């Protein structure tokens, strides 16, 4: 077997652009795996495997010495039938076996599990470009057809949703093998082939279903590959369905040059390399799905689609308003009163506030807010935003105070207004009691709004030192429907500052919120601190933080006083100084954070120290070979 060639990302983009712009008889078929859904908030198959193995471990582990070590507990013997030659480092390849083992004879529970992790997920920006390419919005040579076919092992509806959101067409979705006969190469509309079925059609997860591709799909895909060049994105080849079909095809039976992309921080499996070599294809390391699609979209002449979204929304709004205006509401007094109330509620104060935020100067912000207040007849929300803007100028504090009072008088039950007024009052000691009352009232009015609960918790902990009540509202901030990981990290920081290390670790490990940006970076630092408190190496977390900083972080101001106290009390002077400096740099939006500059300061000096040290009368062993971070969004301590 020959060795497959490897292209650069730039080489792939150039090749794609040449085919797209000059070869009208060539079309690409997008072959998508779980990696394409990751940026939309849907976990990878490997991440689900980790979750399920941990859940099995928690349910079945009776050996107390292994209660904290799923990786040591999960073996061929403990997992049983179907796990021959199982190894923890290759666990992702056992997806179907783990699914079957986790849900046993109740696959409907597994389907519900998958539905839960996919519910409410929106297509990421890369899908907008894919939708445009599939629907013919990307200009091609005369008479050339669009790259209108997606072949996917995913169960989600991201492709179909994106086509509905970003285009005026609708796709043919073949979500079951009984529909495979409709997957014809000559279709002009977008075609989505879900070869492992749609989420709502008993998706195929178990080893038996994934052992062999259905004959109807094998026939349909063989014909599609005769007319389309497959471009693989985010597919790890961990099933025997599509992979067996590709291996069964004769070299030359696939049109054009097969291209298989893989994430630049990983490596393709040997099975993938063999398939690519067999069909004389090319392997290409790429960044994530969205970034790759941006590069391809630019070469296809596709613009960003926010304007199109707005145009379609505006057209829908226009039709809606025309219909409402045509209703003869004056004939019925009760309907007329309802209509007036609904009209008042439709004021878009937040749009004016967001527009003001885009202005660079205070005078520009002030002008926009005043215009919005006038347009919306003195909107209390906009008035409060205007007062908050003026609060930055001490010379206008009296005017600011009166504006807040006017806004609260106009809207005494508006939680947003109450919180902004409380924010203003808490800056002065004498304003603390009233600020606390306002925060509490806002949380009472909007009990499911995590931002109000988190803000009040911060005020209680930092300004009033009421830690017991602060924890109550910390817990409220992470309750459903909250999906912002920052609230969970904030709660973990509160617990860590109180010396409750195990509770902090538990809070960081629970939940299914999307982990990214500043919250992810802070959580990784917290995990490093917890590791050092427990006497373990923190190298994996420092390296993970360096990876995150290379990608880039939208830095924000955070309050770390409580964490600083526990760090000074629990860690060595060297570790304490290191983590305090690290957190201060991370929370300084004025200076771009670069974790790599902290590398020599900690890792090299620690390497010179003995592998054992004494603290509080105990011998703490520090691993000299802690390993490196894995591909999970957030590694766990312990």
């Amino acid at each position: 077997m020959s060795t497959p060639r490897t292209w650069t990302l730039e080489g792939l983009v150039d090749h794609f652009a040449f085919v797209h712009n000059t070869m009208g008889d060539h079309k690409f078929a997008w072959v998508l795996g779980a990696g394409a859904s990751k940026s939309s908030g849907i976990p990878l198959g490997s991440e689900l495997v980790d979750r399920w193995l941990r859940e099995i471990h928690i349910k079945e582990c009776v050996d107390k010495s292994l209660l904290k070590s799923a990786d040591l507990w999960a073996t061929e013997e403990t997992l049983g039938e179907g796990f021959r030659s199982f190894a923890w480092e290759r666990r992702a390849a056992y997806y179907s076996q783990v699914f079957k083992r986790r849900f046993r004879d109740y696959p409907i529970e597994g389907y519900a599990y998958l539905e839960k992790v996919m519910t409410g997920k929106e297509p990421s920006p890369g899908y907008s470009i894919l939708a445009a390419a599939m629907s013919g919005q990307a200009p091609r040579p005369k008479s050339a057809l669009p790259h209108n076919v997606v072949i996917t092992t995913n169960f989600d509806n991201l492709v179909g949703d994106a086509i509905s959101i970003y285009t005026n067409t609708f796709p043919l979705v073949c979500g079951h093998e009984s529909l495979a006969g409709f997957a014809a190469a000559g279709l002009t509309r977008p075609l989505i082939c879900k070869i492992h079925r749609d989420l709502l059609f008993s998706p195929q997860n178990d080893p038996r279903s994934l052992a062999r591709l259905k004959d109807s799909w094998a026939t349909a895909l063989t014909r599609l590959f005769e007319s389309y060049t497959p471009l693989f994105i985010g597919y790890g080849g961990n099933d025997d369905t599509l992979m067996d079909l590709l291996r069964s095809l004769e070299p030359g039976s696939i049109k054009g040059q097969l291209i298989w992309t893989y994430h630049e921080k990983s490596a393709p499996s040997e099975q993938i390399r063999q398939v690519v070599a067999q069909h004389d294809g090319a392997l290409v390391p790429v960044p994530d799905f969205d970034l790759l699609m941006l590069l391809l979209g630019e070469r296809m002449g596709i613009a960003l689609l926010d304007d199109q979204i707005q145009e379609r929304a505006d057209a829908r709004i226009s039709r809606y308003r025309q219909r409402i205006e045509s209703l003869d509401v004056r004939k019925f007094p009760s309907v007329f009163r309802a209509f007036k109330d609904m009209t008042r509620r439709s004021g878009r104060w937040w749009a004016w506030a967001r527009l003001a935020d885009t202005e660079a100067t205070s005078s520009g912000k002030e002008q926009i807010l005043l215009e919005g207040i006038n347009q919306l007849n003195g909107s209390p929300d906009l008035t409060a935003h205007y007062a908050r803007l003026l609060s930055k100028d001490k010379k206008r504090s009296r005017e600011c105070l009166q504006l807040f009072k006017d806004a609260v008088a106009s809207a005494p039950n508006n939680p947003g207004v109450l919180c902004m007024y409380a924010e203003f009052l808490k800056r002065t000691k004498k304003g603390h009691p009233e600020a606390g009352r306002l925060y509490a009232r806002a949380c009472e009015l909007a009990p499911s709004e995590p931002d109000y609960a988190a803000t009040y918790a911060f005020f209680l902990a930092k300004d009033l030192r009421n830690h017991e009540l602060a924890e109550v509202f910390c817990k409220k901030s992470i309750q459903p429907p909250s999906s912002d990981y920052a609230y969970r990290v904030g709660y973990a920081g509160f617990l860590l500052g109180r010396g409750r290390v195990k509770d902090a670790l538990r809070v960081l490990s629970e939940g299914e919120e999307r982990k990214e940006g500043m919250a992810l970076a802070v959580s990784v630092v917290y995990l490093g601190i917890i590791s050092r408190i427990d006497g373990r190496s923190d190298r994996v977390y420092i390296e993970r933080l360096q990876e995150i900083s290379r990608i880039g972080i939208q830095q924000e101001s955070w309050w770390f006083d409580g964490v600083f106290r526990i760090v000074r009390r629990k860690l060595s002077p060297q570790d304490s100084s290191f983590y305090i400096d690290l957190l201060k740099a991370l929370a300084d939006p004025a200076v771009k954070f670069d974790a790599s500059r902290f590398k020599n300061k900690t890792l090299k000096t620690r390497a010179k120290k003995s592998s054992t040290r004494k603290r509080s009368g105990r011998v703490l062993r520090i691993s000299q070979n802690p390993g490196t971070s894995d591909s999970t969004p957030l590694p766990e301590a312990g």
Side-chain angles (χ1 to χ4, degrees):
M1 183 68 66
S2 60
T3 302
R5 64 173 61 87
T6 299
W7 288 356
T8 63
L9 175 59
E10 293 77 12
L12 163 62
V13 174
D14 285 344
H15 172 77
F16 186 96
F18 176 79
V19 172
H20 176 80
N21 293 316
T22 63
M23 302 178 69
D25 60 335
H26 276 57
K27 298 166 290 183
F28 286 98
W30 313 89
V31 185
L32 305 182
S37 302
K38 172 67 176 173
S39 56
S40 298
I42 296 177
L44 298 172
S46 60
E47 294 170 2
L48 290 174
V49 165
D50 283 350
R51 289 188 196 179
W52 294 335
L53 284 174
R54 284 197 295 268
E55 290 167 359
I56 297 170
H57 168 245
I58 290 171
K59 287 180 180 178
E60 301 182 12
C61 180
V62 295
D63 186 345
K64 292 183 179 180
S65 65
L66 297 177
L67 283 176
K68 294 184 178 180
S69 305
D71 56 331
L72 297 179
W73 176 85
T75 64
E76 179 180 342
E77 290 73 24
T78 56
L79 293 174
E81 183 181 357
F83 287 86
R84 185 175 181 182
S85 302
F86 175 85
W88 181 261
E89 59 272 13
R90 294 189 293 106
R91 60 194 182 278
Y94 288 79
Y95 172 90
S96 59
Q97 293 91 330
V98 173
F99 177 88
K100 181 180 180 181
R101 180 70 167 75
R102 166 63 178 84
F103 300 106
R104 294 287 187 175
D105 297 323
Y106 301 97
I108 191 170
E109 182 183 339
Y111 304 153
Y113 194 111
L114 293 172
E115 186 173 353
K116 179 183 177 182
V117 301
M118 296 180 188
T119 297
K121 300 301 187 293
E122 290 284 329
S124 64
Y127 281 96
S128 69
I129 297 167
L130 178 62
M134 293 180 70
S135 62
Q137 294 182 17
R140 293 206 71 191
K142 189 175 181 180
S143 75
L145 295 175
H147 313 293
N148 63 325
V149 172
V150 159
I151 300 167
T152 181
T153 55
N154 300 338
F155 312 131
D156 60 61
N157 294 312
L158 294 175
V159 179
D161 288 348
I163 292 173
S164 298
I165 293 169
Y166 298 109
T167 75
N168 288 317
T169 187
F170 58 92
L172 170 60
V173 181
C174 297
H176 192 277
E177 60 270 15
S178 62
L179 301 173
F182 295 96
L187 288 174
T188 56
R189 72 172 55 257
L191 169 65
I192 303 172
C193 303
K194 295 187 173 186
I195 62 174
H196 291 169
R197 298 184 180 173
D198 183 83
L199 179 62
L200 303 180
F201 293 156
S202 299
Q204 296 174 330
N205 282 277
D206 59 283
R208 182 179 179 183
S209 298
L210 297 180
R212 181 173 178 270
L213 192 65
K214 298 293 184 181
D215 290 341
S216 53
W217 272 128
T219 301
L221 295 186
T222 299
R223 291 174 179 171
L224 285 173
F225 287 144
E226 291 172 354
S227 301
Y228 289 82
T229 299
L231 172 55
F232 292 80
I233 306 174
Y235 176 53
N238 290 322
D239 62 84
D240 293 326
T241 53
L242 183 55
M243 294 299 288
D244 277 353
L245 173 66
L246 292 169
R247 284 189 285 260
S248 71
L249 296 176
E250 292 293 327
S253 60
I254 295 177
K255 183 167 186 174
Q257 191 164 14
L258 177 151
I259 301 172
W260 199 304
T261 70
Y262 63 94
H263 196 275
E264 59 190 1
K265 293 183 180 179
S266 62
S269 67
E270 183 59 31
Q271 293 92 327
I272 291 174
R273 295 177 64 84
Q274 290 174 4
V275 165
V276 174
Q278 174 185 334
H279 293 285
D280 197 23
L283 291 169
V284 189
V286 299
D288 68 18
F289 171 72
D290 286 342
L291 298 179
L292 173 61
M293 293 307 299
L294 280 173
L295 291 171
L296 297 180
E298 188 275 330
R299 299 300 290 270
M300 285 188 283
I302 298 173
L304 295 179
L305 301 179
D306 54 329
D307 286 343
Q308 293 188 33
I309 301 173
Q310 188 66 56
E311 288 172 5
R312 298 187 70 204
D314 287 346
R316 181 172 293 176
I317 291 170
S318 178
R319 290 192 298 270
Y320 176 82
R321 287 177 176 171
Q322 288 173 8
R323 177 57 183 154
I324 289 291
E325 290 170 359
S326 70
L327 297 174
D328 192 358
V329 296
R330 290 187 177 273
K331 284 186 177 180
F332 308 96
S334 59
V335 175
F336 184 53
R337 286 194 299 271
F339 174 73
K340 288 196 296 183
D341 289 340
M342 293 177 69
T343 302
R344 290 194 187 99
R345 293 182 197 136
S346 68
R348 300 291 186 265
W349 66 267
W350 51 267
W352 287 95
R354 181 68 185 90
L355 182 61
D357 287 340
T358 63
E359 282 290 310
T361 65
S362 294
S363 60
K365 295 178 188 293
E366 184 174 348
Q367 182 178 352
I368 288 174
L369 289 172
L370 286 172
E371 183 182 353
I373 291 169
N374 181 59
Q375 288 283 339
L376 300 179
N377 299 317
S379 162
D381 294 278
L382 272 188
T383 300
H385 274 273
Y386 181 46
R388 186 166 65 176
L389 174 65
L390 297 188
S391 69
K392 298 177 183 179
D393 185 351
K394 292 182 179 179
K395 296 179 181 180
R396 305 181 71 175
S397 58
R398 183 173 297 179
E399 180 184 358
C400 171
L401 179 61
Q402 187 57 53
L403 285 168
F404 271 125
K405 288 182 176 179
D406 291 344
V408 172
S410 299
N413 295 323
N414 185 318
V417 171
L418 297 180
C419 273
M420 282 187 279
Y421 187 24
E423 177 189 339
F424 169 74
L425 291 176
K426 78 174 183 179
R427 296 176 189 172
T428 61
K429 245 183 181 179
K430 62 182 180 182
H432 280 182
E434 178 65 7
R437 187 188 69 78
L438 292 169
Y439 278 131
R441 177 60 177 158
C443 291
E444 180 185 345
L445 291 167
S448 62
E449 174 51 58
D451 190 50
Y452 300 149
T455 303
Y456 188 27
F458 175 78
F459 172 74
L460 289 166
K462 181 178 183 294
D463 296 275
L464 301 187
R465 306 295 182 187
N466 187 341
H467 298 105
E468 184 177 348
L469 189 56
E471 182 167 4
V472 171
F473 283 92
C474 279
K475 289 179 178 178
K476 288 185 177 182
S477 73
I478 64 172
Q479 295 302 310
S482 174
S483 61
D484 191 336
Y485 191 59
Y487 299 125
R488 188 169 293 278
V489 177
Y491 182 24
F494 167 82
L495 294 170
L496 190 57
R498 301 292 295 162
R500 294 164 59 183
V501 178
K502 291 183 178 179
D503 287 338
L505 178 59
R506 173 183 54 79
V507 168
L508 287 174
S509 301
E510 291 176 347
E512 297 181 359
E513 300 92 343
R514 186 172 180 178
K515 303 173 179 67
E516 60 184 0
M518 182 72 174
L520 174 59
V522 174
S523 67
V524 171
V525 177
Y526 285 172
L527 289 170
I529 291 171
I530 292 171
S531 291
R532 298 305 297 148
I533 290 175
D534 288 343
R536 290 176 286 102
S537 171
D538 57 0
R539 180 185 294 270
V540 65
Y541 302 113
I542 303 305
E543 291 176 348
R544 182 73 174 109
L545 186 64
Q546 290 166 357
E547 293 175 8
I548 297 168
S549 71
R550 281 194 292 269
I551 297 172
I553 303 168
Q554 186 68 40
Q555 292 166 244
E556 306 167 21
S557 298
W558 279 56
W559 183 61
F560 294 121
D561 290 10
V563 177
F564 289 163
R565 285 194 295 272
I566 195 70
V567 163
R568 291 189 183 102
R569 194 165 72 246
K570 293 283 189 179
L571 298 185
S572 67
Q574 178 188 357
D575 282 339
S576 174
S577 175
F578 167 71
Y579 275 109
I580 289 174
D581 290 345
L582 189 65
L583 286 172
K584 285 181 178 178
L586 188 59
D588 183 3
V591 181
K592 184 179 179 181
F593 179 72
D594 180 8
S596 64
R597 70 185 180 91
F598 291 89
K599 181 177 181 180
N600 293 335
K601 188 173 182 179
T602 176
L603 298 182
K604 287 187 177 180
T605 53
R606 288 183 195 164
K608 296 177 182 178
K609 293 188 176 290
S610 171
S611 62
T612 64
R613 66 172 63 174
K614 286 191 175 182
R615 184 183 292 119
S616 303
R618 294 183 299 121
V619 176
L620 304 178
R621 301 192 177 277
I622 302 174
S623 171
Q624 296 299 308
N625 183 25
T628 57
S629 60
D630 56 25
S631 60
T632 57
L634 183 65
E636 296 180 1

